[in-house]
Amino acid sequence: MFKIVEKTVLNPSVIKIKLDAPLIAKKALPGQFIIFRIDEYGERVPLTIADYDREGGTITLIFQIVGRSTQRLATLEEGDAILDLVGPLGVATEIPEDAKSVCVIGGGVGCAIAYPQAKYLYNKGLQVDVIAGFRNKEIVILEDEFNKCSHNFYICTDDGSYGKKGFVTNALQEQIDAGKKYDVVIAIGPIPMMKFVSKVTKPYNIPTIVSLNPIMIDGTGMCGGCRVTVGGKIKYACVDGPDFDGHQVDFDELMRRGGTYREQEHECRMENYKNS
Amino acid sequence: MAKANMALTKVPMPERDPKERATCFEEVAIGYTSEMAQEEATRCLGCKAMPCVNGCPVGVKIPNFISKIASGEFEEAYDIIKTTNSLPAVCGRVCPQESQCEGKCVRGKKGEPVAIGRLERFAADYVRANGGKKTAKAEFNGHKVAVVGGGPAGLTCAGDLARLGYQVTIFEAFQAAGGVLMYGIPEFRLPKQIVQEEISQLKEMGVEIQPNMVIGKILSVDELIEDGYEAVFVGSGAGLPRFMGIPGEALVGVCSANEYLTRINLMKGYLSEYDTPVIRSKAVAVVGGGNVAMDAARSALRMGAEHVYIVYRRSEAEMPARLEEVHHAKQEGVEFLTLNNPVEIIGDENGRVCGMKCIRMELGEPDESGRRRPVAVEGSEYVLDVDTVIMSIGTSPNPLIRSTTKGLEANKHGCLVVDEDTMKTTKDAVYAGGDAVTGAATVILAMGAGKKAAKSIDEYIKSKG
């Protein structure tokens, strides 16, 4: 059993929990993920590790309530425990050794994963710009945290209710147009966001790393559920990723496959609704 | 000994009706009664040369246990099996006996061989139904061994070492030990309760099982050795599923047999109280002709598909699946499209599978495997009306251990290189066996490898003094 030692509601649908998991905390690196299962009846769900504390023996997860499992996870409180937690899985983010300036882009709850990247690179002494995008002011998360681990921090909202109006791609383009030179762009968020960030950086040949979160069961290279086409070849997000070259990923295919169980998820939610 | 029963055929195995069983996950083969078992046991001639034992990868003393069944001493029969086999209820159900023990049985020369598998199962089931048997814990010999992977190879290796007094820890990546016995082979062939009961006997013997531990990630093999494990056995199993590389494999509705079966078996997707989503299909094509393909096809029927096809590029004679599995699949209504090869999976405007284009094949000259090579019949393409495609064309070994352990060599297929007599890898104190070494094979071969490795590990640790 893995105990929840801290819980914070970041916005109405995004929750942060700290779990007691000393062995995972000891090894985790930015970009890696875990798979959790709440109880005997739960699904195995992959989530990227948002933070870790090697001394304290905890890892932090930040998740959005999207389906039955995250809904159930959200009902747990400090002191409660989940049955299974396995990790750290996947390959840690690798950025070119000579990179000096990086732009970390987070979209929505993807900021939860962009944050440890920014923190890690900032602490390593790189020049870090962060662009964080949200639908509106109500769902802005991690503003203070990003401020502390970036040299320039740009917030934008789709509706202009906070920060600059527009998408992260507009903000990125503005920086590039203003003459900013980035050695690497790391983009983490909804699939369309990662797709369009990669489109923006392509003409400038800026290496662009995206972090994928496809359907997955075991996380160790057995089920093949997480296969994605990268540069025309089948890759497995669990053992080859979850980070890939954004200029090579077939995002449209990824988006389609992500919807495989959407109808069943929907049925689940309807049932919950009826029972509530 | 009583006069031998010279009946040419085995006492038939009672089975659930095909129509009934195709709609539920209850076990298909019901098992012998005591009377049936005793009657079948008297067909054994008790040959002095014991050819059957030579056919068994774990060396079960077959004529000895069968004679105990014949005389009604069922617990004694079980004890004899358990001295060499940690998982008799599992082996009695899933071993390919026809190509092993039963394949060597003298009675098979004229008529059917003795039903060794069914008798092994009977002895194990009898003891379990009668309250089970406490397994004694051997005295600790002061040495620790780590086993990576809780599948058939690892469980067998752990059981044999525990019997010798070693403190064994199994590190399992999933939430429950069992490997393919839990995630792959369906409930209707191998009830999970039985697997867990045989595993709990290993625990009684002192074997510790740590679930959710992916070695190579949370701990490396070297760290295990630093932690005081004097030897490590790697039984990490088969890994990445193969796909064909044809257009359309990324459509929604295409998955590997591993994924499909894991959702249903390990994650119990067939039970409504579990949250696991499983693809709901009207018509399913399972590509491949092995046991895993049969399991996937029969599971798809039980999940409610109206049509389930096995699509296999060779003819039925070349199918690697056990005859019994093919027979059961047909009885239940799986349709066999042999000498058919998929060339493209077709999707609708939403990117979902709506058909699979196949081409008919004919058999040509034998290829390097000795089987006649299938050759496409030009212009014979047609579209099979399906909404789900399950790929069951094999796997390649799991890359996690070899990519994170220095000194561990693998061949070009990614299989760990071992000395076949000792199962020792190219790294000191590290042994390996099962699918991680052979690529996808059978449960019992993996068990045989685990057994061999246990013996070598014991010799290695004792030789260190």
Side-chain angles (χ1 to χ4, degrees), chain B residues 278-306:
Chain B
V278 180
I279 304 181
R280 302 289 164 155
S281 324
K282 281 206 170 72
V284 181
V286 179
V287 180
N291 288 322
V292 177
M294 299 305 138
D295 285 344
R298 295 171 69 193
S299 296
L301 276 182
R302 286 162 172 79
M303 293 303 292
E306 289 159 23

Side-chain angles (χ1 to χ4, degrees), chain B residues 297-315:
Chain B
R298 295 171 69 193
S299 296
L301 276 182
R302 286 162 172 79
M303 293 303 292
E306 289 159 23
H307 289 280
V308 178
Y309 307 98
I310 287 280
V311 179
Y312 181 57
R313 66 199 180 111
R314 299 178 193 256
S315 79

Side-chain angles (χ1 to χ4, degrees), chain A residues 27 40 44 68 223 264, chain B residues 175 223 256 274-275 278:
Chain A
K27 285 290 175 74
E40 172 57 27
R44 293 172 62 91
R68 180 162 168 82
C223 78
Q264 286 184 54
Chain B
Q175 61 241 22
E223 282 172 309
S256 74
Y274 282 75
D275 290 345
V278 180

Side-chain angles (χ1 to χ4, degrees), chain A residues 27 37 40-41 43-44 68 72 84 87-88 90 215 217 220-223 225 227 236 253 256-257 261 264, chain B residues 174-175 212 217-218 223 239-241 249-250 252 254 256 258-259 262-263 267 274-275 277-278 351 398:
Chain A
K27 285 290 175 74
R37 195 171 72 125
E40 172 57 27
Y41 303 103
E43 278 183 88
R44 293 172 62 91
R68 180 162 168 82
R72 292 184 57 208
D84 297 299
I215 289 172
I217 305 182
T220 63
M222 191 208 81
C223 78
R227 63 192 192 278
Y236 297 90
E253 173 194 298
R256 246 189 352 248
R257 284 185 31 81
Y261 298 106
Q264 286 184 54
Chain B
F174 269 132
Q175 61 241 22
N212 297 320
K217 289 291 176 189
I218 195 158
E223 282 172 309
L240 300 170
E249 285 184 304
V252 174
V254 182
S256 74
N258 269 2
E259 178 178 354
T262 303
R263 286 181 183 279
M267 296 162 67
Y274 282 75
D275 290 345
V278 180
N398 198 306

Side-chain angles (χ1 to χ4, degrees), chain B residues 237-440:
Chain B
L240 300 170
R242 293 208 182 100
F243 288 86
M244 293 185 71
I246 57 173
E249 285 184 304
L251 291 166
V252 174
V254 182
C255 70
S256 74
N258 269 2
E259 178 178 354
Y260 190 69
L261 289 171
T262 303
R263 286 181 183 279
I264 294 172
N265 298 324
L266 179 81
M267 296 162 67
K268 304 216 165 37
Y270 67 96
L271 297 174
S272 61
E273 60 267 39
Y274 282 75
D275 290 345
T276 314
V278 180
I279 304 181
R280 302 289 164 155
S281 324
K282 281 206 170 72
V284 181
V286 179
V287 180
N291 288 322
V292 177
M294 299 305 138
D295 285 344
R298 295 171 69 193
S299 296
L301 276 182
R302 286 162 172 79
M303 293 303 292
E306 289 159 23
H307 289 280
V308 178
Y309 307 98
I310 287 280
V311 179
Y312 181 57
R313 66 199 180 111
R314 299 178 193 256
S315 79
E316 198 173 315
E318 286 86 21
M319 265 193 186
R322 293 181 67 191
L323 275 181
E324 184 182 305
E325 304 308 325
V326 174
H327 171 71
H328 278 152
K330 282 187 177 167
Q331 269 188 333
E332 289 164 12
V334 174
E335 296 158 65
F336 280 63
L337 300 173
T338 51
L339 289 169
N340 275 274
N341 203 25
V343 288
E344 183 187 348
I345 302 166
I346 300 163
D348 63 15
E349 65 280 7
N350 299 317
R352 292 182 168 268
V353 174
C354 65
M356 182 166 82
K357 192 192 268 184
C358 300
I359 188 163
R360 294 187 210 282
M361 310 291 279
E362 57 190 11
L363 292 179
E365 294 300 309
D367 60 16
E368 63 276 14
S369 74
R371 298 181 295 182
R372 292 178 65 192
R373 185 194 299 274
V375 188
V377 178
E378 237 177 275
S380 66
E381 291 95 339
Y382 68 100
V383 174
L384 186 64
D385 186 16
V386 292
D387 56 17
T388 304
V389 176
I390 300 173
M391 287 293 173
S392 181
I393 51 172
T395 57
S396 41
N398 198 306
L400 275 184
I401 303 278
R402 68 169 191 269
S403 63
T404 55
T405 312
K406 274 203 190 95
L408 208 55
E409 274 174 37
N411 67 16
K412 65 174 185 310
H413 303 293
C415 302
L416 295 178
V417 175
V418 296
D419 173 332
E420 281 183 24
D421 295 323
T422 62
M423 309 313 284
K424 191 186 164 299
T425 64
T426 51
K427 188 179 172 72
D428 266 355
V430 181
Y431 296 73
D435 286 3
V437 167
T438 55

Side-chain angles (χ1 to χ4, degrees), chain A residues 37-224:
Chain A
R37 195 171 72 125
I38 295 173
D39 58 21
E40 172 57 27
Y41 303 103
E43 278 183 88
R44 293 172 62 91
V45 182
L47 277 180
T48 309
I49 299 167
D51 207 350
Y52 47 82
D53 174 356
R54 301 213 199 284
E55 283 74 44
T58 60
I59 62 163
T60 301
L61 302 175
I62 296 179
F63 61 93
Q64 184 162 26
I65 302 170
V66 284
R68 180 162 168 82
S69 295
T70 42
Q71 214 166 48
R72 292 184 57 208
L73 187 60
T75 64
L76 299 183
E77 300 298 338
E78 285 172 13
D80 290 342
I82 58 170
L83 184 58
D84 297 299
L85 186 66
V86 56
L89 299 168
V91 181
T93 304
E94 287 167 5
I95 69 159
E97 287 223 349
D98 53 356
K100 289 187 184 66
S101 166
V102 42
C103 182
V104 178
I105 303 176
V109 73
C111 288
I113 317 309
Y115 165 63
Q117 302 280 2
K119 184 172 139 188
Y120 182 77
L121 298 170
Y122 185 85
N123 289 339
K124 267 182 81 172
L126 276 79
Q127 166 76 30
V128 177
D129 282 9
V130 170
I131 301 172
F134 302 92
R135 274 201 317 279
N136 56 50
K137 188 183 176 195
E138 273 65 55
I139 60 167
V140 170
I141 56 170
L142 299 171
E143 193 178 355
D144 293 343
E145 286 84 348
F146 276 126
N147 259 321
K148 282 183 207 147
C149 63
S150 59
H151 297 91
N152 296 294
F153 178 37
Y154 312 97
I155 283 197
C156 39
T157 50
D158 298 0
D159 64 357
S161 55
Y162 196 67
K164 218 166 175 188
K165 183 171 164 38
F167 299 122
V168 293
T169 41
N170 307 126
L172 174 64
Q173 188 68 58
E174 267 172 36
Q175 294 307 314
I176 295 173
D177 291 345
K180 276 271 178 65
K181 292 269 180 272
Y182 294 122
D183 299 322
V184 183
V185 168
I186 299 177
I188 304 165
I191 299 171
M193 183 209 95
M194 296 191 282
K195 174 180 167 177
F196 287 107
V197 165
S198 302
K199 273 204 168 148
V200 169
T201 57
K202 181 85 174 124
Y204 308 96
N205 278 323
I206 306 172
T208 301
I209 299 169
V210 295
S211 174
L212 308 185
N213 191 7
I215 289 172
M216 195 180 282
I217 305 182
D218 62 300
T220 63
M222 191 208 81
C223 78

